[in-house]
Amino acid sequence: MKQILYMLFMTALTCVACKKTEEKLVPIIESKPIAFEFSKIEEISQSGATVSTRLVSLNQENILEYGVLISRVESGNSGKEEQIALGKDVKIGTLSYSFTPKGGLKSADRYAVGFYIQTDKGFYRSTAVMIRWNNISVEPAEIKSVRTGDKITVNGNFEGVNESYLIRNSYYQTIIPYEISSDKKKLTYVIPKTTATHGSTLEFFLQNISSAGSNNGYPDYESYALPRVKVVATIDPLIVSNMYLNTPITLTGQNLPDRYQETTDLFLIVNGIKVKYQNPFNLFDIAGLKGNTFKIGYHNGINEVIFPTAVQLILPNGADMIFNRSVVHPKTSVQVSGMKFNQFFYNSRFTVQFGELAADQGQLNYDESIQLQIPDISNGSYPISINSPYYDKITSNNKIEVRKLTLSQVDTKTAYIGDQIKVSGTFIDGIEYGVNLNDHAIYDKKLNNGTMTFKIPDQKEGKALIKVYYYGTNDQIFGEGDLSFNIEKSTISSVSPLYAYPGDLITVKGKGIMHAEQVFLGGQYVQVVNRTNDSFQFLAPSNFMQTKGRVTININEGVIQSEDYIEIK
């Protein structure tokens, strides 16, 4: 029995331990205070007043009720507070209450009215607003858009207003002058300069500074809320009247949006084109804009303003255009400089003409130049023109001569390998040309006195077709008028001496043997040591296995051989 009781006891302890281990941690919820904005009077009359405040934050406490606290103020001291519950369903936003004391408001009576929230953990209250009927009331009005300097007229009853009353802007606490009509039914004031940005809401209050009490160390005035307004921007006329296309236009004015603020009712107007406000802005960013004189203005949601002085673009001058080449072949390129291309044409849609044909515009090299591709055009002299939405057609004073490459003649009808060939044609100094001789490429041949020369490489005997090309912007352009000549078979005319000792110089003479690279004596390879146009020399070999042999050369894509034998002693 004792064993059974012991086992039951241990089992219970184990269960308790398990239960304790499985307990979950309760998350800590960070609590923040419930907060109100300052209370204010929305409406007031002899029968009572409507007061409001704005609840700006709540926490996770359980709300038991909310309501208003009302006390009569005498000699600057508040009497016993009356607590009036309004319910417990409260949300962030505006809270309002209509205070209508029995018998209405009397001029000698002053009341402090504020709001409260009771939770399970605390009691929170707003600042109190002072209510006093001094034969003053303000009629409510819809929010309206205004500009700095606009006059605002408020309807109501202002018989009780005296020199102790000021108008303040709650946004910046600015004191604002005002006027009251002779019948005491209208109050007028001017919207002051502020740093509020376009679209900001401004609130104004009529306050009696002589009625200030104290609430938590802050002055508490008898205050009447005036109609709220939405401030809109105004833009100053532009100072700059002459500018380049790429010059940013910086705007100044009152209540302008900040750089990152999105606006839906503030627009710029350029030559009748309405665009979204941005500051600074560039003319070339406006789609569809044409011409070089611009009437600029804006629309701010109230009115449209067009500035009296137009902006004029500084115009480019075709006489300033200069070219890096005065003579060109078709399908090559020319660099045009001399104008501030970046300032005149930056990020704009412009086209270039060579004569009457469109020319492909290459890279715009910042403020220096443009690279222009010459079209495939007939021989002649042509100006360069630039067409732009912003300027009249701009045409160069100077012209560029176009010269198609045409081959006219070759200086010989027959030649040997290694001979120099001279070709005449419509060549241009400073241009590098290439030659295809029977499809054998000879690269980068420059001119000499308007003619092109090249040496004949190792070629097969027979007809040799000359084709000359230059480098266009995208490919090779071959000239017109193919020329040809005959390549004669290379020959050996003599070898000497016919008798030699190892190490002796042997001279070989002939035609077209200058490029002889593979030379043999009796089938044994020998090294050429000296070379001229019509001859070369080699050393008699020391390990010659035969007594004599003939000279053999691999050339003309074939083999030539001496008639005479050379004997090595």
Side-chain angles (χ1 to χ4, degrees), residues 313-451:
L313 291 183
I314 299 171
L315 304 180
N317 188 348
D320 295 333
M321 278 193 269
I322 57 177
F323 317 121
N324 66 329
R325 294 186 181 278
S326 58
V327 184
V328 297
H329 289 313
K331 294 187 177 181
T332 58
S333 63
V334 64
Q335 183 174 291
V336 184
S337 57
M339 293 196 309
K340 298 178 179 179
F341 285 92
N342 187 55
Q343 292 179 323
F344 290 124
F345 303 107
Y346 176 78
N347 209 27
S348 68
R349 307 166 303 282
F350 71 94
T351 59
V352 183
Q353 282 180 250
F354 194 84
E356 297 301 320
L357 293 180
D360 290 337
Q361 172 220 323
Q363 183 179 5
L364 175 59
N365 299 317
Y366 299 101
D367 204 27
E368 298 298 325
S369 62
I370 57 173
Q371 201 75 15
L372 187 68
Q373 297 180 15
I374 306 301
D376 191 3
I377 195 169
S378 302
N379 289 346
S381 294
Y382 301 92
I384 289 177
S385 301
I386 301 176
N387 302 293
S388 165
Y390 304 105
Y391 313 103
D392 296 332
K393 190 173 185 178
I394 306 153
T395 303
S396 65
N397 286 8
N398 298 324
K399 295 183 178 181
I400 295 178
E401 179 189 346
V402 174
R403 186 185 298 171
K404 287 194 172 184
L405 177 58
T406 303
L407 307 183
S408 57
Q409 68 176 32
V410 60
D411 66 340
T412 186
K413 292 184 178 180
T414 62
Y416 291 94
I417 291 173
D419 286 353
Q420 187 141 300
I421 300 298
K422 183 183 293 184
V423 179
S424 300
T426 55
F427 298 108
I428 300 173
D429 289 339
I431 301 293
E432 291 188 348
Y433 297 90
V435 178
N436 275 5
L437 190 63
N438 287 343
D439 295 326
H440 183 97
I442 307 171
Y443 298 105
D444 298 338
K445 295 300 176 183
K446 295 186 178 180
L447 301 182
N448 183 17
N449 295 325
T451 59

Side-chain angles (χ1 to χ4, degrees), residues 1-20:
M1 186 67 181
K2 289 182 178 181
Q3 286 183 332
I4 293 173
L5 290 174
Y6 177 75
M7 292 176 66
L8 289 173
F9 177 71
M10 293 303 294
T11 301
L13 285 177
T14 304
C15 291
V16 170
C18 290
K19 186 175 182 181
K20 185 174 183 180

Side-chain angles (χ1 to χ4, degrees), residues 74-130:
E74 296 178 355
S75 302
N77 298 315
S78 297
K80 182 179 179 180
E81 284 186 332
E82 179 184 2
Q83 184 172 326
I84 302 174
L86 300 178
K88 63 178 182 178
D89 185 14
V90 63
K91 298 179 180 178
I92 290 176
T94 301
L95 306 178
S96 63
Y97 175 73
S98 294
F99 174 57
T100 54
K102 186 176 181 179
L105 294 173
K106 298 179 176 58
S107 60
D109 293 338
R110 296 177 64 191
Y111 297 91
V113 179
F115 293 82
Y116 74 90
I117 293 178
Q118 176 71 61
T119 73
D120 57 347
K121 294 184 179 180
F123 188 83
Y124 304 87
R125 65 168 68 214
S126 72
T127 58
V129 63
M130 300 299 297

Side-chain angles (χ1 to χ4, degrees), residues 151-166:
K151 282 188 176 182
I152 299 295
T153 298
V154 181
N155 296 319
N157 180 8
F158 303 103
E159 290 185 9
V161 175
N162 56 35
E163 63 276 2
S164 298
Y165 286 84
L166 302 174

Side-chain angles (χ1 to χ4, degrees), residues 283-313:
L283 292 171
F284 56 73
D285 283 334
I286 302 175
L289 193 62
K290 295 180 180 180
N292 46 62
T293 302
F294 306 105
K295 295 286 285 185
I296 296 177
Y298 66 95
H299 190 282
N300 59 8
I302 296 180
N303 63 331
E304 183 174 295
V305 177
I306 303 298
F307 302 137
T309 303
V311 170
Q312 173 68 52
L313 291 183

Side-chain angles (χ1 to χ4, degrees), residues 186-237:
K186 295 181 183 298
L187 180 146
T188 302
Y189 57 95
V190 175
I191 299 297
K193 289 184 178 181
T194 72
T195 57
T197 58
H198 177 87
S200 300
T201 298
L202 295 181
E203 294 183 335
F204 298 90
F205 298 95
L206 180 65
Q207 295 179 337
N208 183 356
I209 59 173
S210 66
S211 65
S214 178
N215 191 344
N216 296 327
Y218 295 97
D220 196 2
Y221 300 105
E222 174 193 347
S223 180
Y224 303 88
L226 302 177
R228 294 182 297 166
V229 297
K230 185 179 80 170
V231 65
V232 300
T234 57
I235 301 176
D236 300 331

